[in-house]
Amino acid sequence: MCDWKAALVLVLAAGCSEAGEQLPSADELTPDALDSSAIQPIPQTVDLDARRVALGDQLFHERRLSADDTLSCSSCHDLHTGGVDGLRSSIGIRGQVGPINAPTVFNSGLHFRQFWDGRALTLEDQVNGPTHAPGEMGSSWEQILGKLGADPDYVASFAAIYPDGITAANVRDAIATFERSLITPDSAFDRYLRGEASALSEDARRGYRMFTEYGCASCHQGVGMGGNMFQRFGVMGDYFADRGNVTDTDMGRFNVTHRDEDRHVFRVPSLRNIARTAPYFHDGSAPDLARAVRTMAHYQLGRELDDGEVVALVAFLESLTGRYRGAPL
Amino acid sequence: MCDWKAALVLVLAAGCSEAGEQLPSADELTPDALDSSAIQPIPQTVDLDARRVALGDQLFHERRLSADDTLSCSSCHDLHTGGVDGLRSSIGIRGQVGPINAPTVFNSGLHFRQFWDGRALTLEDQVNGPTHAPGEMGSSWEQILGKLGADPDYVASFAAIYPDGITAANVRDAIATFERSLITPDSAFDRYLRGEASALSEDARRGYRMFTEYGCASCHQGVGMGGNMFQRFGVMGDYFADRGNVTDTDMGRFNVTHRDEDRHVFRVPSLRNIARTAPYFHDGSAPDLARAVRTMAHYQLGRELDDGEVVALVAFLESLTGRYRGAPL
């Protein structure tokens, strides 16, 4: 990304003169500055059917979705812990250690695909994954529908919303609708974007500038600051050769398409609430933001960050933690 | 703190050779290295009466402790959001904006005093504060005991534990006992202290070294990494003159003792889970860890940190987030 465009994004996003003391003058603005690399705040609300959200909330926390009634969606995507489990890789039924780091469910409705490899096009489709994976919840629609259908409360809840009652499609619909409600507005950064210049520290403001100028925002863009494109992990260097012990999971989107060009390609993760979702990357290899930022710069941008850049970028990333239902994430 | 002592703390704490590649040799160890500046991991469990913990949990979330039944302890100390509210200063009944940043309740049982100014010697005594402050919960023991006494469930719960039933002392005892249960073991740093060298990134390990060598650990020490002494905010510079708009709250411990030497003196806050409790300081003036670290170094140590130091110290602070009841904080 060339510098003038990054600067324009900054001008547009800052939205008030207080924040813009070092920004280019307004005559450098062009309509092209309104391109997709701009980052927009998360909206305050999302319009959803409240009954389906409530039922989906219940199902999201329903352990009977797993084969042995021990795990719910929230076991690995705890809404009280950033929508993740804080582990390098998640743990399925019977203590099975999974192959990949659990992405947060917060703001997942903003993603163009689901899973690290984007194999699900919709949140509805995503529900089939963990419920059925033998190493995760290990269940089946037959089992799930049987258990829910034996519970009069669920029978009544579904009947009130869906004419055809408890079906796999309706379970998926309810959970996906609930997940779309998991937005996290009002981060310090979003407040800054809306004109509250003091919401960001000087470090964080410097970090935002670097984030756009260095090209981070080329991939981590849009409302979700990620989640809307695929990208290779290791554009400017071979992350996997350097890390070693390459697994099937590291193949990323190749596992879906079996095309050579999709090796090590992943959905760009959202950076929203990133300070809440350590450890980082699909392999959970980065324990903190400094490590994650250095790794991204090296392998994605071919840039060795100096410490001042790391400070600023980490402070910027800390500003991305929003609120869920009014409470800080 | 002199360097050899800091280094010895490191040696002792690291506890395994993998982490100690740049540390002094074992012949530099002396018994004095076991002084109070060493940081110990948070224990896995704390021995408490489970019935009183459960009752205290209920009371901690009881809105009837406030005058208008709108606020509970958890309103400002939400256990799902780091034990804080994420605001610069907290909000009491009828929307009153308070004068000070809410400290987290997690690990408050490790503190030698309670409140920023240490005016309560015990957690039991602390309960009197927010429940009665007109700008916080605005209630009284008469009101509180009246409401709880009118609830047969509470009458039964108290009677089962306390021979004298519902009394102010027993309410305080239950809440304080619950608060003592709010420990957060298993942070990456504690796992490192226990020998898991890979739990910390290189940055975080450098940060730990600086943390002890520069003297941060002189005040942020012990299991709580703080919370066990008073210290002036502004040892090496006048923070309050620089910040401006000095309030009564800024007087800190002076408000308790009315001694000149206690102006701007505060209980040293615990750094446990610090990445979860922004914004920082009693005035909530630091929005992120970089800002907080720079301010501390400047005003407490008379040291201007370079960016490499900030990176390392922030990474170290990120490693201090523990788990509560098994879930990441």
Side-chain angles (χ1 to χ4, degrees), chain A residues 18-267:
Chain A
E18 281 175 276
E21 60 283 349
Q22 293 175 60
L23 298 176
S25 63
D27 58 10
E28 292 176 64
L29 286 171
T30 76
D32 188 47
L34 290 164
D35 73 9
S36 63
S37 65
I39 303 167
Q40 296 92 33
I42 293 177
Q44 293 292 327
T45 57
V46 54
D47 191 27
L48 295 165
D49 179 340
R51 297 174 309 162
R52 291 192 292 161
V53 170
L55 178 57
D57 190 345
Q58 190 179 355
L59 291 165
F60 189 85
H61 294 88
E62 178 55 74
R63 292 175 191 272
R64 285 174 284 181
L65 296 193
S66 63
D68 59 2
D69 297 353
T70 58
L71 297 182
S72 67
C73 307
S74 70
S75 300
C76 297
H77 302 284
D78 189 332
L79 302 183
H80 297 131
T81 64
V84 298
D85 53 16
L87 303 172
R88 281 184 75 137
S89 51
S90 295
I91 297 175
I93 57 170
R94 297 188 301 276
Q96 298 173 89
V97 177
I100 203 160
N101 181 264
T104 179
V105 281
F106 282 108
N107 304 304
S108 54
L110 303 175
H111 297 163
F112 82 131
R113 306 281 175 93
Q114 302 299 326
F115 297 116
W116 281 98
D117 59 11
R119 66 186 180 274
L121 197 60
T122 64
L123 283 169
E124 286 79 357
D125 184 20
Q126 190 276 340
V127 174
N128 293 308
T131 50
H132 286 61
E136 300 186 39
M137 299 164 92
S139 192
S140 66
W141 284 120
E142 190 179 355
Q143 288 181 54
I144 292 169
L145 298 179
K147 290 183 205 171
L148 299 181
D151 183 330
D153 289 339
Y154 272 119
V155 172
S157 297
F158 274 86
I161 303 172
Y162 303 102
D164 52 349
I166 300 176
T167 68
N170 294 341
V171 170
R172 286 191 294 258
D173 178 79
I175 293 176
T177 304
F178 170 65
E179 289 174 330
R180 289 192 181 93
S181 78
L182 300 173
I183 55 168
T184 62
D186 292 332
S187 67
F189 177 59
D190 279 3
R191 289 187 278 115
Y192 175 82
L193 289 180
R194 291 199 159 103
E196 191 186 325
S198 67
L200 295 195
S201 71
E202 276 176 52
D203 288 311
R205 288 197 294 259
R206 273 197 307 130
Y208 177 33
R209 189 181 313 273
M210 292 167 194
F211 187 82
T212 53
E213 287 178 0
Y214 296 178
C216 313
S218 301
C219 294
H220 296 287
Q221 55 165 256
V223 178
M225 303 181 68
N228 65 357
M229 68 170 73
F230 291 115
Q231 189 55 263
R232 175 167 295 103
F233 191 175
V235 173
M236 306 295 284
D238 192 336
Y239 171 81
F240 294 95
D242 293 347
R243 194 206 63 193
N245 297 316
V246 179
T247 66
D248 283 353
T249 302
D250 292 329
M251 290 295 125
R253 188 139 183 83
F254 174 82
N255 294 325
V256 181
T257 66
H258 304 291
R259 299 188 308 184
D260 280 339
E261 61 264 39
D262 283 338
R263 284 182 204 276
H264 307 314
V265 167
F266 296 88
R267 185 191 62 186

Side-chain angles (χ1 to χ4, degrees), chain A residues 78-81 84-88 188 198-204 206 275-276 278 280 287-291 294 306-312 314-316 318-319 321 323 326-329, chain B residues 78-81 84-88 188 198-204 206 275-276 278 280 287-291 294 306-312 314-316 318-319 321 323 326-329:
Chain A
D78 189 332
L79 302 183
H80 297 131
T81 64
V84 298
D85 53 16
L87 303 172
R88 281 184 75 137
S198 67
L200 295 195
S201 71
E202 276 176 52
D203 288 311
R206 273 197 307 130
R276 291 291 287 117
Y280 303 111
D288 53 43
L289 291 171
R291 180 71 261 152
R294 289 187 202 278
D306 68 31
D307 290 326
E309 293 166 322
V310 176
V311 169
V314 168
F316 173 61
E318 283 184 51
S319 81
T321 304
R323 288 182 168 251
L329 206 65
Chain B
D78 189 334
L79 302 183
H80 298 130
T81 64
V84 297
D85 53 18
L87 303 172
R88 282 185 75 139
S198 67
L200 296 195
S201 70
E202 275 176 53
D203 288 310
R206 273 197 307 130
R276 291 290 287 117
Y280 303 110
D288 52 44
L289 291 170
R291 180 71 262 153
R294 289 187 202 278
D306 68 31
D307 291 326
E309 293 167 321
V310 176
V311 168
V314 168
F316 173 61
E318 283 184 52
S319 81
T321 304
R323 288 182 167 250
L329 207 65

Side-chain angles (χ1 to χ4, degrees), chain B residues 35-49:
Chain B
D35 72 10
S36 63
S37 65
I39 303 168
Q40 296 92 32
I42 293 177
Q44 294 293 326
T45 57
V46 53
D47 191 27
L48 295 165
D49 179 340

